[in-house]
Amino acid sequence: LSSPFCLLHTTCLMFVFLSTGPTVSGLLVKGEVGQNITVPCFYRVRTENDITSMCWGRDACPPSKCSRPIIWTDGWKVTEQYHTKYVLEGDLLKGNVSLTILNAQETDSGTYCCRVEIPGWFNDKTTNLQVVVERGVGLN
Ligand SMILES: *[C@@H]1O[C@H](CO)[C@@H](O)[C@H](O)[C@H]1NC(C)=O
Ligand SMILES: *[C@@H]1O[C@H](CO)[C@@H](O)[C@H](O)[C@H]1NC(C)=O
């Protein structure tokens, strides 16, 4: 599950996150209203020196930073959180910067940007993920 080649490939994420509850396949994350939905994002941390800042934002990743930012971490801890519904529950020090949306609503559907600020020009690792929150069938 944590083999290093695995972490950077979305095909692998599918498999890691496939379970009951919210589902992730490739860059699409589906969940139901009222669930906590985790949107996967990882980067490779081999040594402490690899730990770096990152942000999550709504909409596709702009050329730098995040548009409509929702959370920032310096790599060690959350430094800005724009709403209490957004949390990082993964092990940041291992590069698990997956975003969890608590008690997701239909309005949380849309594009999310995960931007990891890798030092150097144009080195940032950006991933755009689609989140779809649907009303559950017969529940809620
Ligand atoms: C969502 O996460 C919160 C905080 O971790 C927890 O209290 C709550 O029970 C979770 N809700 C669901 C539906 O799993
Ligand atoms: C990453 O963190 C999320 C919580 O944000 C957790 O559900 C998931 O299992 C973690 N993934 C790995 C590969 O550790």
Side-chain angles (χ1 to χ4, degrees):
L1 187 138
S2 60
S3 61
F5 77 89
C6 208
L7 289 177
L8 295 173
H9 291 278
T10 49
T11 45
C12 189
L13 291 179
M14 271 208 266
F15 161 71
V16 170
F17 286 85
L18 214 63
S19 63
T20 56
T23 57
V24 177
S25 68
L27 300 175
L28 176 69
V29 183
K30 273 191 165 187
E32 289 177 5
V33 169
Q35 286 180 332
N36 295 335
I37 297 180
T38 297
V39 192
C41 193
F42 299 89
Y43 69 99
R44 189 182 293 269
V45 175
R46 272 165 295 194
T47 73
E48 238 177 52
N49 295 329
D50 295 329
I51 295 174
T52 188
S53 54
M54 68 81 57
C55 59
W56 278 97
R58 295 296 299 260
D59 303 331
C61 297
S64 73
K65 315 287 180 187
C66 285
S67 47
R68 297 169 66 197
I70 58 189
I71 205 161
W72 269 98
T73 164
D74 60 7
W76 303 84
K77 60 184 187 309
V78 170
T79 49
E80 285 176 74
Q81 184 194 25
Y82 289 75
H83 195 293
T84 52
K85 72 193 289 180
Y86 301 120
V87 291
L88 301 182
E89 293 182 332
D91 190 343
L92 299 183
L93 304 186
K94 289 189 174 145
N96 184 353
V97 291
S98 302
L99 173 75
T100 299
I101 306 167
L102 300 176
N103 187 24
Q105 300 301 313
E106 281 165 301
T107 50
D108 293 316
S109 297
T111 304
Y112 286 74
C113 162
C114 169
R115 170 176 235 110
V116 179
E117 297 193 308
I118 309 290
W121 288 85
F122 304 109
N123 272 349
D124 288 3
K125 175 183 177 278
T126 59
T127 313
N128 293 314
L129 297 113
Q130 297 302 320
V131 174
V132 177
V133 186
E134 289 168 336
R135 201 152 281 287
V137 184
L139 300 167
N140 305 310

